Amino acid sequence: MRLKIEEDTKEANVFIYGKMGPDETNLILFSKVSWLSNQSNYSSNIALLQENGSKLWLIRDSRVEGLLTVQSISWNKELEQWQAEGPQRFMLSNDYGWVLNNAHPESEDFLVIADSVGGIIHMTNENTQPHLPGLLKILSANGYEVENRVNPKIGQETLSIGYTSYRTDADVSQQDSKGSKLVLTTVNLPEGMLMALSCPLATIISGQMKVMKDPVTWVADGISYERSQLLMLHPDLEEGKDFYPNIKLKTIINYVSATSLSPEEYWAKLQKVEEDIKDPILLNTMQEPVLSPSGHSFEKSSIETWINSKYVNLPTVSNIVPIPDPITKQDIRGRTLVVNKNLSQFIKAWPDFYRQQEYNLAISLSEKVQYSKSN
C-alpha cells in the first residue's frame, strides 16, 4: 500500500479515518514513522518519541457501529523496535460523554457499560463534531499527545482506505494536552427549553424528558418527535410528505447538549446556536419559524415573501415553473410550510439560558484568574 502522508504533523484539524481493521491501521502507523524517520526535519522528533516512549496514534471509525477507535504504536527500548498497542474504543454516551468500552460488542458486558451511561449516541458528522474537543482532552490526559497524531490532509488518501469528514477546528494547546484533567461542563436546561428539545411520546412512555437525537416534525400538528418514536406509532408516514426533518432543531440539540467540554468550549458552541436561530434569508432572529419540506427553517414572513417573488402564473399546468427552496433548491411550489413549534419554544427560552451561561463563563474565568494568582 502506498501512503500519502502530510508533512505538517502539527496541523490543528483532526480527521477520523474510515472503518478498517487493526492490521491496516498499524500499516499506516508504521509507514508513517518510517517515512518521518527518513526526513531530515522530522528525524529528531522521532528520536524524541523513542526516548520518551511516547505514542504515535490516530483515530478511526470503529468497525463496531457507533464507536471510535484510537490506535497507537510506541518504541520498545528493550527490543529496540516500534510495537503496536491494543486498540482503544470510545463511545459517545448520552449521560457521560466519551466513555471507554473495549468489551466485545456482542457480549453482555458491552451492553451493561452502554446502559450504565445512558446508551450510545450513534455518530453523524453533525453530532460528533461538537464533542471531538472533549475526546482530545481525554486522550491527551492519557498519553495520546495531540502533536503526535497521524492526521492526513483534506483530499489525501491511501489507495485502499478513505476517511470520513469528521473534524474539529479546535486546537488543544500543549499546555492543556499534558497532564490536564478533563473538565466536564454540566448544563441544566430550563424546563421550557427541555420541553422544546424533548419528544412528547418518549416523555409519556418513560415519564422523563430527554433531548431528542433525530427530531422530525409531523405536518399534521407541527410538533417535533423522535423519528423512531413517531414511525413506531405511525409506520405509514412518509418523509417529505407527512413529516419533515427538523435540521435546525437537531443541530441546536447537538450543541446545547455537548458534554466533555470546558466552559470556554461550551460557550463557543452557544455562539453557533446564536447563528442557527437566525433566518437564513434575512439573517435576523426568527420569531415565527416555519419548516420547509427540505427540513430547513425560515421566518414565516421571509419565506412567504421569497415564494411570492418566485411565483409565476402560467396558462397551462404543465408549464408551471418550480419554486426552489432557498437552501436546497428543492421544488416547494404548492408544498405545506409547517409551523416549527419546538424551535419557536426554544427561541423564546434562549435569551435567559444564554445570559445564565454567560454568567457561568464569567465565574469560571474569574476562578481561573484567582487560582493562577494563588499559585
Side-chain angles (χ1 to χ4, degrees):
M1 181 186 299
R2 180 171 58 85
L3 298 176
K4 293 182 180 179
I5 303 176
E6 91 288 5
E7 296 183 0
D8 184 3
T9 57
K10 294 185 179 180
E11 176 73 30
N13 295 331
V14 174
F15 291 83
I16 299 176
Y17 280 79
K19 292 181 181 178
M20 53 183 158
D23 292 340
E24 294 169 291
T25 309
N26 286 332
L27 181 56
I28 290 178
L29 291 168
F30 284 118
S31 298
K32 174 72 170 183
V33 76
S34 175
W35 182 84
L36 289 174
S37 298
N38 293 318
Q39 306 301 310
S40 58
N41 53 335
Y42 285 114
S43 57
S44 60
N45 293 1
I46 295 301
L48 189 60
L49 283 178
Q50 293 174 331
E51 180 63 27
N52 296 336
S54 301
K55 306 175 191 290
L56 187 72
W57 58 279
L58 60 77
I59 306 176
R60 62 176 169 85
D61 220 342
S62 177
R63 292 185 297 180
V64 179
E65 195 64 30
L67 276 68
L68 292 180
T69 295
V70 178
Q71 205 161 322
S72 63
I73 60 174
S74 60
W75 182 255
N76 187 312
K77 292 183 179 180
E78 292 183 3
L79 299 177
E80 294 187 340
Q81 65 182 24
W82 291 93
Q83 286 192 324
E85 299 181 349
Q88 302 293 308
R89 292 200 306 262
F90 290 85
M91 67 180 189
L92 185 56
S93 70
N94 280 302
D95 294 342
Y96 294 96
W98 295 103
V99 176
L100 189 67
N101 191 346
N102 285 327
H104 191 282
E106 296 180 3
S107 69
E108 186 175 346
D109 288 344
F110 183 92
L111 296 177
V112 168
I113 294 173
D115 289 340
S116 69
V117 292
I120 302 173
I121 297 176
H122 291 285
M123 295 178 296
T124 64
N125 284 12
E126 293 82 8
N127 69 18
T128 301
Q129 183 176 346
H131 298 273
L132 283 176
L135 178 58
L136 290 182
K137 281 185 174 291
I138 293 174
L139 293 174
S140 296
N142 287 277
Y144 297 88
E145 297 175 354
V146 176
E147 61 267 30
N148 296 336
R149 69 198 181 280
V150 175
N151 216 34
K153 289 184 176 178
I154 296 175
Q156 293 182 324
E157 58 186 4
T158 68
L159 292 182
S160 64
I161 302 170
Y163 42 85
T164 74
S165 59
Y166 298 146
R167 59 180 288 177
T168 175
D169 293 326
D171 199 6
V172 178
S173 67
Q174 189 167 344
Q175 182 178 359
D176 290 336
S177 66
K178 293 185 177 180
S180 61
K181 292 184 178 179
L182 175 64
V183 179
L184 290 175
T185 299
T186 303
V187 180
N188 294 316
L189 299 179
E191 185 175 2
M193 183 176 289
L194 188 56
M195 288 178 64
L197 305 180
S198 302
C199 173
L201 295 176
T203 302
I204 293 172
I205 294 172
S206 66
Q208 294 181 328
M209 288 190 292
K210 204 166 190 177
V211 295
M212 292 177 279
K213 300 176 187 176
D214 188 12
V216 297
T217 301
W218 195 6
V219 173
D221 61 11
I223 296 175
S224 294
Y225 301 88
E226 186 70 64
R227 179 189 293 267
S228 59
Q229 294 282 349
L230 181 62
L231 291 178
M232 186 182 300
L233 188 64
H234 301 285
D236 296 330
L237 295 182
E238 296 181 25
E239 181 171 343
K241 177 184 176 183
D242 302 308
F243 68 89
Y244 302 157
N246 199 327
I247 295 173
K248 286 279 190 187
L249 196 66
K250 184 175 181 178
T251 303
I252 287 170
I253 287 172
N254 290 331
Y255 285 135
V256 301
S257 61
T259 58
S260 303
L261 302 178
S262 68
E264 294 91 334
E265 291 167 336
Y266 187 70
W267 179 251
K269 301 302 176 189
L270 297 188
Q271 306 316 301
K272 296 183 179 182
V273 176
E274 278 280 280
E275 296 302 313
D276 279 320
I277 61 177
K278 291 181 179 178
D279 171 54
I281 299 175
L282 298 180
L283 302 180
N284 52 9
T285 300
M286 291 180 281
Q287 303 298 320
E288 193 176 358
V290 295
L291 265 173
S292 162
S294 67
H296 291 280
S297 295
F298 304 89
E299 178 63 33
K300 185 174 185 289
S301 60
S302 173
I303 187 64
E304 287 179 344
T305 300
W306 167 274
I307 291 174
N308 290 335
S309 70
K310 304 293 181 182
Y311 203 92
V312 179
N313 287 315
L314 296 175
T316 58
V317 175
S318 60
N319 289 328
I320 288 180
V321 177
I323 296 178
D325 179 278
I327 296 178
T328 66
K329 309 307 178 186
Q330 171 185 343
D331 183 14
I332 59 174
R333 174 185 280 270
R335 304 295 298 279
T336 303
L337 296 176
V338 181
V339 176
N340 196 337
K341 294 180 180 178
N342 290 66
L343 182 57
S344 178
Q345 186 176 2
F346 174 86
I347 291 173
K348 290 176 182 176
W350 173 250
D352 288 342
F353 177 75
Y354 186 83
R355 284 191 291 269
Q356 181 61 50
Q357 298 310 310
E358 187 174 28
Y359 173 77
N360 293 346
L361 176 66
I363 294 297
S364 174
L365 294 176
S366 175
E367 290 175 348
K368 284 187 177 181
V369 170
Q370 292 177 7
Y371 178 80
S372 62
K373 287 181 178 179
S374 63
N375 288 276

